[in-house]
Amino acid sequence: HRSPLNDFERLRATELLAAPTDPLPVLLEWGSAEQCAQHCVTSLTCRAFHHNRQSQLCQLLPWTQHSPHVQLQKNIHYDLYQKKDYLRDCIVADGSSYRGTRATTEKGLRCQHWQATTPHDHRFLPSPRNGLEENYCRNPDRDKQGPWCYTIDPNVRHQTCGIKKCEDAVCVTCNGEDYRGTVDHTESGTECQRWDLQHPHKHPFHPDKYPDKGLDNNYCRNPDSSERPWCYTTDPGREREYCRIRICKKRPRPHNVTTGCFRGKGEGYRGRVNITVSGIPCQRWDTQSPHQHHFVPEKYPCKDLQENYCRNPDGSEAPWCFTTHPTIRIAFCFHIRRCPEELSTPECYHSHGEHYHGHISKTRKGITCQPWAAQAPHVPQISPLTHPEAHLEENYCRNPDNDSHGPWCYTMDPRTPFDYCAIKPCSGSTVPSIVENPDAVTFEQCGRRDERLQWKGR
Amino acid sequence: IVGGQPGNSPWTVSIRNRAGSHFCGGSLVKEQWVISTRQCFSSCDADLTGYEVQLGTLFKDPGPGDPNQQTILIARIVCGPSESELVMLKLARPAVLNSRVALICLPHERYVVPAGTVCEIAGWGETRGTADGNVLNVARLPVLAHDECNAALRGRLKDSELCTAPLRAGVGACEGDYGGPLACLTADCWVLEGVIIPSRVCARTDQPALFIRVSLYVDWIHKVMKM
């Protein structure tokens, strides 16, 4: 059940361009990414391959991004797969498969080229199979200390390079939700299943669906706020397992700590609200009744699971808690106020701000305004040509359409066509209060439902 | 919805996170636009990859064969004017309107719902045992006059808020209903007059319930859909 892709790191929408002098890569072959990987693994020269998802063509490459005279380039038609051993800057087991480009010993001595026999003569000569190239650290004799090399110092024949094991190279803070190291085996030594594969284990953690969880290749990750990084295993009999990774000594200071309100998803909320909206007291985090759970305070040291306070240890939409009501397991604490996140300037506007001619040119989120005369990133429907009397100068905030919510502008953020500005209404500004009922209103094409479709019918 | 009963509200949508869990409600105001509340989302430029809305079914978690269920990914979130506590969600593709999926009307700008009008809230949220929490529940609430509500709240009512009167039986929105509609029948059409916002306690019997007054933001809503 091991996929040949397990030996590769995938770079999406990326192409590896070689200098024109290099020999053209091996011809194209047809197949799925896994079939291409199988070809590449069995080829002595292949170190990477392009896979064109549309044409299902693949191009085997004898180089990687660390080879000389090559460069990575965006190309939406290709995914680039490179052998991990050539990319990783850490070793697995004794590092016999290490093919990185480290060329200095742990004491900082430069390595002698394997091709050379001076200053030190030796019998480890390069061959297509043994990976001895240039003067890179290697472990041709399975030395327990890991990759080593002969040194250019006549007095030091050879020395270990001190390359760290992958489980030590990148340590884990808190529960490892932001661990992005390259450990790809579980604590029992089973190899991990790739996150972008659904075999041998089907799972919900598609990398596309969780772009912020770093679900790359088959590396250990923690997308669901478990106690520590884990992965699905390539053993059909064992769905998932934790990985053994060094814990960082230093605990990071929690950022965005708030107490009277919560920001974003409230992962930094450290206030003392401990009751749900429905008035049900929260269950203490250090008890397992009435609801059993795995959010044991000592296992989540960075989440401040104190008492029975609302918290967000798992990246949910908002702070939440287990409730003391036996039939209601969890409740959000949306009733905690959100912290205001808007910028504001000392300037203010009267009425709707239709006569505001100030020089503020930022939205309330701090995004720079697009010049009114510009056509990008947004093609304006309102411009100095269409509204000559509205003083649409530069990229200053204005209210050419008498928007009742004040001065606004097109924004330089391609995703946000327009937004209101960081200007507040002047206090006492005479915005007409709500108009009493206007004359009879009518509606078309909306608000009608088939009253017969009541529940009974269902 | 506490104190309600199963009902049909074809413009009410369920907003679900990447894990497919319902966490808030919304209202379909255009085939590709849903209105909800800012309180349901972590930020105005939240990455909503994998978030979706579910329409066309009365079940909170319908089985695979539900005939009219539509599930559509959310493409974008746009935050409303400050204080509005509103957001608009642009769907990745238009919803298909049918007997189970319909648009709710938007009110006329600054329209005031006459006091006493009986409106309806809907949602898949907490029922506190008063109804089946696995299906869409609806409840009816009478609108309270602005000044009467302001008096009851000792002057804390904002222009951007709309009130309904407390009922002795304890009827109201709760956890999981936030963002859903307060719909009022006007000229034989259901109109989105309010959006449900989190309150400190559900279904209070001693205080009016507050909603975002949509008629104050109709110009912004049209502007977003136009732009």
Side-chain angles (χ1 to χ4, degrees):
Chain A
H1 294 275
R2 173 184 197 282
S3 163
L5 283 174
N6 281 13
D7 291 322
F8 293 83
E9 280 203 7
R10 175 185 183 189
L11 278 178
R12 292 158 179 260
T14 305
E15 181 182 13
L16 197 54
L17 277 184
T21 52
D22 282 26
L24 271 180
V26 180
L27 286 184
L28 292 176
E29 313 214 359
W30 187 89
S32 70
E34 288 193 280
Q35 288 161 324
C36 301
Q38 192 55 49
H39 291 311
C40 187
V41 162
T42 50
S43 150
L44 270 182
T45 56
C46 179
R47 296 185 177 185
F49 64 89
H50 287 135
H51 182 247
N52 185 316
R53 282 189 301 259
Q54 267 156 330
S55 63
Q56 288 293 302
L57 282 176
C58 59
Q59 184 180 33
L60 305 188
L61 305 169
W63 46 65
T64 69
Q65 68 188 68
H66 292 325
S67 306
H69 322 307
V70 297
Q71 66 181 51
L72 294 171
Q73 173 159 301
K74 201 144 186 56
N75 180 329
I76 56 167
H77 300 302
Y78 284 144
D79 283 342
L80 171 65
Y81 292 84
Q82 304 178 87
K83 278 182 181 171
K84 285 175 182 173
D85 291 334
Y86 286 90
L87 299 186
R88 269 195 292 211
D89 192 22
C90 59
I91 58 173
V92 176
D94 62 14
S96 304
S97 66
Y98 173 78
R99 295 289 180 274
T101 55
R102 181 83 69 87
T104 51
T105 68
E106 67 176 353
K107 297 278 194 297
L109 298 177
R110 278 186 53 67
C111 294
Q112 172 186 312
H113 277 68
W114 294 99
Q115 193 77 37
T117 51
T118 56
H120 305 289
D121 193 2
H122 63 89
R123 57 188 170 80
F124 286 109
L125 295 177
S127 79
R129 238 174 239 289
N130 62 16
L132 301 179
E133 69 182 287
E134 302 291 332
N135 62 338
Y136 299 143
C137 302
R138 291 289 182 266
N139 192 359
D141 57 354
R142 307 191 77 89
D143 183 305
K144 283 194 180 46
Q145 289 192 55
W148 55 276
C149 68
Y150 293 105
T151 82
I152 59 172
D153 178 339
N155 305 316
V156 180
R157 179 171 167 74
H158 54 72
Q159 199 171 68
T160 178
C161 293
I163 299 174
K164 285 188 175 173
K165 287 180 177 292
C166 293
E167 57 266 32
D168 298 326
V170 177
C171 60
V172 162
T173 58
C174 296
N175 301 100
E177 282 105 331
D178 51 8
Y179 172 74
R180 296 294 181 267
T182 58
V183 171
D184 55 9
H185 282 71
T186 66
E187 51 195 10
S188 68
T190 310
E191 187 175 24
C192 293
Q193 170 185 321
R194 284 181 66 90
W195 294 99
D196 56 6
L197 294 180
Q198 289 291 321
H199 59 82
H201 304 288
K202 275 192 161 316
H203 65 87
F205 293 107
H206 300 267
D208 302 348
K209 215 170 177 184
Y210 293 85
D212 53 333
K213 302 292 183 184
L215 301 175
D216 317 311
N217 308 304
N218 66 332
Y219 294 140
C220 300
R221 292 290 184 263
N222 187 2
D224 63 348
S225 296
S226 293
E227 290 165 35
R228 49 202 168 94
W230 57 277
C231 68
Y232 291 102
T233 81
T234 50
D235 171 357
R238 176 159 204 150
E239 187 191 29
R240 56 184 272 180
E241 191 180 5
Y242 286 122
C243 304
R244 178 180 296 109
I245 301 168
R246 179 168 63 90
I247 307 275
C248 301
K249 292 187 184 57
K250 224 174 24 159
R251 191 192 296 175
R253 284 165 46 80
H255 54 278
N256 248 339
V257 171
T258 60
T259 54
C261 57
F262 76 89
R263 198 167 279 128
K265 295 191 168 186
E267 288 164 291
Y269 174 72
R270 296 290 181 268
R272 298 178 167 221
V273 170
N274 61 358
I275 194 163
T276 75
V277 177
S278 346
I280 304 169
C282 293
Q283 171 184 321
R284 287 181 61 87
W285 294 99
D286 57 5
T287 64
Q288 294 290 321
S289 125
H291 304 288
Q292 302 251 320
H293 61 89
H294 68 83
F295 287 107
V296 180
E298 51 274 16
K299 290 198 170 156
Y300 288 84
C302 304
K303 308 294 183 182
D304 191 53
L305 301 179
Q306 282 188 61
E307 307 293 328
N308 63 337
Y309 300 140
C310 297
R311 288 288 182 266
N312 188 358
D314 63 349
S316 288
E317 312 312 320
W320 58 274
C321 68
F322 295 104
T323 83
T324 50
H325 196 295
T327 63
I328 303 171
R329 180 171 169 80
I330 279 176
F332 279 121
C333 303
F334 271 128
H335 49 303
I336 301 171
R337 206 168 47 83
R338 277 186 182 283
C339 302
E341 62 182 15
E342 296 179 358
L343 308 173
S344 83
T345 59
E347 290 204 30
C348 68
Y349 63 84
H350 293 281
S351 177
H352 290 165
E354 61 275 27
H355 302 302
Y356 171 78
H357 295 156
H359 291 177
I360 301 289
S361 57
K362 274 196 184 308
T363 71
R364 55 190 170 151
K365 300 282 181 255
I367 301 173
T368 304
C369 293
Q370 172 184 314
W372 291 98
Q375 295 291 316
H378 305 286
V379 177
Q381 293 161 19
I382 293 177
S383 71
L385 293 178
T386 62
H387 291 66
E389 78 298 333
H391 295 269
L392 300 182
E393 304 130 336
E394 308 287 328
N395 64 341
Y396 299 138
C397 298
R398 291 288 181 268
N399 194 352
D401 57 349
N402 195 23
D403 186 313
S404 64
H405 306 290
W408 58 277
C409 67
Y410 292 101
T411 85
M412 293 307 286
D413 172 1
R415 294 174 311 156
T416 310
F418 83 99
D419 199 4
Y420 297 99
C421 288
I423 317 169
K424 295 288 179 209
C426 299
S427 54
S429 126
T430 56
V431 173
S433 79
I434 291 171
V435 174
E436 280 308 314
N437 300 357
D439 45 312
V441 293
T442 56
F443 301 95
E444 294 98 34
Q445 312 286 322
C446 62
R448 297 189 186 284
R449 70 185 174 193
D450 184 343
E451 297 298 348
R452 281 177 302 108
L453 278 176
Q454 277 314 326
W455 179 241
K456 288 183 289 299
R458 187 94 174 151
Chain B
I1 305 287
V2 176
Q5 71 277 336
N8 175 34
S9 179
W11 36 77
T12 303
V13 307
S14 163
I15 300 174
R16 311 166 84 87
N17 62 20
R18 291 170 178 152
S21 307
H22 166 89
F23 66 92
C24 270
S27 305
L28 189 69
V29 295
K30 216 57 178 169
E31 285 80 349
Q32 209 159 349
W33 289 97
V34 163
I35 284 187
S36 185
T37 179
R38 167 79 182 75
Q39 291 270 26
C40 287
F41 297 91
S42 58
S43 86
C44 291
D45 35 32
D47 173 6
L48 296 179
T49 308
Y51 283 67
E52 56 198 16
V53 298
Q54 177 179 274
L55 320 91
T57 175
L58 297 178
F59 293 90
K60 182 175 176 179
D61 297 308
D66 195 297
N68 295 297
Q69 179 204 4
Q70 297 179 50
T71 299
I72 306 174
L73 284 172
I74 296 172
R76 292 242 334 266
I77 178 172
V78 183
C79 275
S82 313
E83 301 291 320
S84 71
E85 292 298 324
L86 284 180
V87 293
M88 289 184 73
L89 303 172
K90 182 167 189 180
L91 306 183
R93 59 177 168 74
V96 174
L97 305 184
N98 55 40
S99 61
R100 287 261 173 235
V101 177
L103 303 181
I104 189 167
C105 303
L106 285 168
H108 280 235
E109 219 171 307
R110 314 185 84 75
Y111 177 73
V112 172
V113 184
T117 304
V118 176
C119 299
E120 181 184 272
I121 55 177
W124 284 274
E126 182 52 58
T127 65
R128 257 190 3 199
T130 60
D132 177 350
N134 297 309
V135 296
L136 182 67
N137 284 296
V138 299
R140 301 217 153 177
L141 293 166
V143 167
L144 189 61
H146 199 81
D147 42 15
E148 209 176 318
C149 181
N150 200 23
L153 296 177
R154 287 192 283 281
R156 287 198 321 270
L157 183 65
K158 295 179 205 159
D159 243 6
S160 58
E161 290 168 332
L162 168 66
C163 303
T164 59
L167 299 182
R168 237 189 318 282
V171 176
C174 202
E175 187 72 54
D177 295 319
Y178 307 139
L182 173 76
C184 308
L185 202 56
T186 306
D188 283 338
C189 291
W190 288 95
V191 183
L192 182 66
E193 296 292 358
V195 169
I196 301 170
I197 47 176
S199 60
R200 281 203 162 278
V201 179
C202 300
R204 294 190 75 139
T205 56
D206 59 345
Q207 268 199 1
L210 295 180
F211 300 83
I212 302 167
R213 177 187 296 279
V214 173
S215 69
L216 221 56
Y217 302 102
V218 167
D219 57 345
W220 166 72
I221 295 168
H222 287 309
K223 191 167 180 173
V224 168
M225 295 194 287
K226 189 173 82 175
M227 285 205 184

